[in-house]
Amino acid sequence: TIGAMAGRMGLECYLIGGFVRDKIMGRPTKDVDIVCTGDGIALAHAVAATFPHRPHVSFFKNFGTAHFRYNGIDVEFVGARKESYAAHSRKPEVTEGTIEDDQRRRDLTINALAISLNSNNYGRLIDPFDGLGDIERKIIRTPLEPDTTFSDDPLRMMRAIRFAAQLGFAIVPEVFESIRRNRSRLKIVSQERITDELNKIMATPTPSIGLDLLYRSGLLQEFFPQMVALSGVEIVEGKGHKDNFYHTLQVIDNTAAKSDDLWLRWAALLHDIGKPATKKFEEGHGWTFHGHEVVGERMTPKIFRQLKLPQNEKMKYVAKLVALHLRPISLTKEDITDSAMRRLLFDAGEDLEDLMILCESDITSKNRQKVKRYLE
Ligand code: ATP
């Protein structure tokens, strides 16, 4: 329908982006993106008018995009664009372009694939940057020189890492080096867009993969220095402590293996966040992080504000789990009192099960089984 209507209007049109990538990879597809030469909004209206019940078309004139929902599928239309960026401006100059111009402004080769819907070459894959080969090789590359692609929109650096983590692809060294070089450019990107990508990484089955890439590329330091502060090991009088950054990654993975809840994963991410501020070396004893869970509880709202995460019940839940996470460990001591037990049950309330997942995921909780038995 879409191709035929575009033909009648004298436009070329193509399926593009994530839909094409996911179809080729055999992943479930969600939204459909259509790019056409000329007026995408007019095409969207014309197509919608041919469907029974005429879906409502919403559009943004300034961006030249239009969108409707049909049979539970989001269909988005955009006119093919050519973008050119001046060195010191964030806003590109946008002009009408060809399909190849539109593919050049995409973030990654695997996201720049198009399928023709035109009658003369219907179904043909248009792949000027060998995105198909990159899907087969399982690699992340940019359509243009990575420095160009990334400086045009620095969020693409995070997207490269997010797709590597989601798809299990490797970022080619040239691209990874470019991310390291351009990392400070992330500062011009809005926090909402950054956090969106971060949460997509947090939602992957093994969040440590993406988080470690963020750390090693230097991007994490740009927007979440408190987490980077967890890294490293100090040795005094021959005594070292564990690297709390890598420990935290392990706890997140263990938590992710047990639950899909994004906010429980955030609690895992923040469970030791108070440690750098409370770290002390006590002579004859060793390293202590006394009170770090209280500091962590206090830091949680600040971090939620900084990352523009919701300031609501979710945040309170995360802060509460951060504060409580060591309590079940203290319950394993031999002389545990009934009142301490009751307090934990009371404080954790309906989040008790989540608290237990968090504590069980913390591989340094030595007495996991004991805690479980107490609670049972
Ligand atoms: P998902 O839906 O899993 O996030 P997706 O590839 O559909 O994957 P979207 O963010 O919906 O991701 O973007 C759709 C398409 O738009 C991408 O496949 C890519 O071609 C293009 N795109 C999105 N964001 C950017 C960007 N920052 N720079 C360049 N191209 C982008």
Side-chain angles (χ1 to χ4, degrees):
T1 305
I2 297 172
M5 180 55 73
R8 237 171 288 152
M9 295 169 72
L11 309 174
E12 288 173 27
C13 89
Y14 304 84
L15 281 161
I16 190 142
F19 179 87
V20 179
R21 175 201 70 223
D22 288 340
K23 266 275 173 265
I24 291 171
M25 292 184 69
R27 299 173 86 227
T29 53
K30 297 172 290 184
D31 316 342
V32 178
D33 284 312
I34 306 282
V35 65
C36 68
T37 53
D39 189 346
I41 299 176
L43 179 61
H45 278 113
V47 172
T50 68
F51 289 136
H53 316 302
R54 272 182 171 243
H56 172 74
V57 179
S58 43
F59 59 93
F60 297 98
K61 223 175 169 65
N62 288 348
F63 297 108
T65 62
H67 150 269
F68 63 73
R69 222 177 141 72
Y70 187 70
N71 274 351
I73 299 170
D74 274 317
V75 189
E76 176 133 1
F77 293 80
V78 60
R81 294 195 295 216
K82 185 175 178 163
E83 289 181 355
S84 34
Y85 288 79
H88 297 294
S89 168
R90 263 202 273 171
K91 290 240 169 348
E93 192 190 314
V94 181
T95 49
E96 266 189 33
T98 62
I99 177 68
E100 186 159 339
D101 288 330
D102 205 273
Q103 286 170 296
R104 289 162 66 83
R105 70 169 185 90
R106 303 270 158 178
D107 54 351
L108 306 172
T109 57
I110 59 168
N111 287 345
L113 291 155
I115 293 175
S116 166
L117 298 177
N118 307 308
S119 56
N120 62 333
N121 58 358
Y122 188 87
R124 180 180 299 164
L125 188 69
I126 317 287
D127 183 14
F129 306 108
D130 196 21
L132 185 61
D134 289 348
I135 288 177
E136 281 161 3
R137 288 184 287 271
K138 291 178 173 282
I139 56 174
I140 298 290
R141 266 192 326 122
T142 50
L144 309 177
E145 283 287 306
D147 284 356
T148 306
T149 293
F150 292 148
S151 74
D152 286 353
D153 176 4
L155 184 77
R156 294 171 183 164
M157 299 187 283
M158 272 196 83
R159 288 178 56 92
I161 287 175
R162 190 255 287 188
F163 281 106
Q166 265 182 340
L167 304 176
F169 282 24
I171 300 175
V172 298
E174 183 201 355
V175 169
F176 197 70
E177 280 313 308
S178 170
I179 297 178
R180 286 185 56 78
R181 252 195 322 277
N182 289 289
R183 60 184 184 263
S184 66
R185 304 256 311 155
L186 195 68
K187 288 213 164 67
I188 67 166
V189 176
S190 76
Q191 187 58 53
E192 286 84 352
R193 297 178 79 207
I194 293 174
T195 298
D196 231 31
E197 294 300 325
L198 178 61
N199 272 335
K200 285 184 178 168
I201 290 171
M202 291 286 279
T204 58
T206 313
S208 66
I209 295 172
L211 291 168
D212 190 37
L213 285 169
L214 286 178
Y215 171 63
R216 288 192 288 115
S217 64
L219 288 178
L220 194 62
Q221 174 69 33
E222 297 297 323
F223 65 91
F224 198 177
Q226 299 95 326
M227 189 175 174
V228 175
L230 288 168
S231 69
V233 175
E234 218 178 315
I235 297 173
V236 175
E237 291 177 7
K239 284 187 176 153
H241 57 77
K242 62 179 184 254
D243 182 316
N244 285 308
F245 179 79
Y246 283 105
H247 166 70
T248 292
L249 293 196
Q250 234 167 335
V251 176
I252 296 172
D253 283 353
N254 294 347
T255 304
K258 295 189 175 97
S259 164
D260 287 337
D261 185 334
L262 177 68
W263 303 106
L264 183 54
R265 294 177 187 199
W266 269 101
L269 186 92
L270 296 176
H271 84 286
D272 274 349
I273 204 75
K275 280 193 170 172
T278 53
K279 181 167 125 174
K280 268 201 203 82
F281 187 82
E282 288 173 1
E283 263 176 55
H285 180 67
W287 292 101
T288 69
F289 301 89
H290 186 68
H292 79 83
E293 60 296 358
V294 181
V295 174
E297 182 187 23
R298 242 184 279 136
M299 284 174 75
T300 300
K302 286 187 195 148
I303 288 171
F304 267 57
R305 224 174 299 131
Q306 170 189 326
L307 297 180
K308 296 224 158 74
L309 287 160
Q311 299 287 312
N312 59 15
E313 295 304 313
K314 306 281 184 217
M315 182 198 72
K316 288 189 201 151
Y317 158 81
V318 172
K320 176 167 149 188
L321 292 189
V322 168
L324 285 176
H325 100 277
L326 280 186
R327 208 79 87 60
I329 301 174
S330 66
L331 289 181
T332 61
K333 294 193 179 118
E334 291 304 324
D335 54 355
I336 176 72
T337 61
D338 282 351
S339 74
M341 187 72 216
R342 270 199 305 275
R343 231 183 55 222
L344 176 83
L345 292 170
F346 181 77
D347 287 349
E350 59 191 31
D351 299 327
L352 187 64
E353 217 172 289
D354 288 341
L355 178 63
M356 288 317 297
I357 291 179
L358 182 60
C359 292
E360 283 175 30
S361 302
D362 194 337
I363 53 247
T364 54
S365 300
K366 294 182 191 70
N367 294 309
R368 286 181 302 207
Q369 286 314 314
K370 245 178 169 182
V371 173
K372 227 175 170 170
R373 243 176 290 130
Y374 260 116
L375 288 167
E376 277 161 7

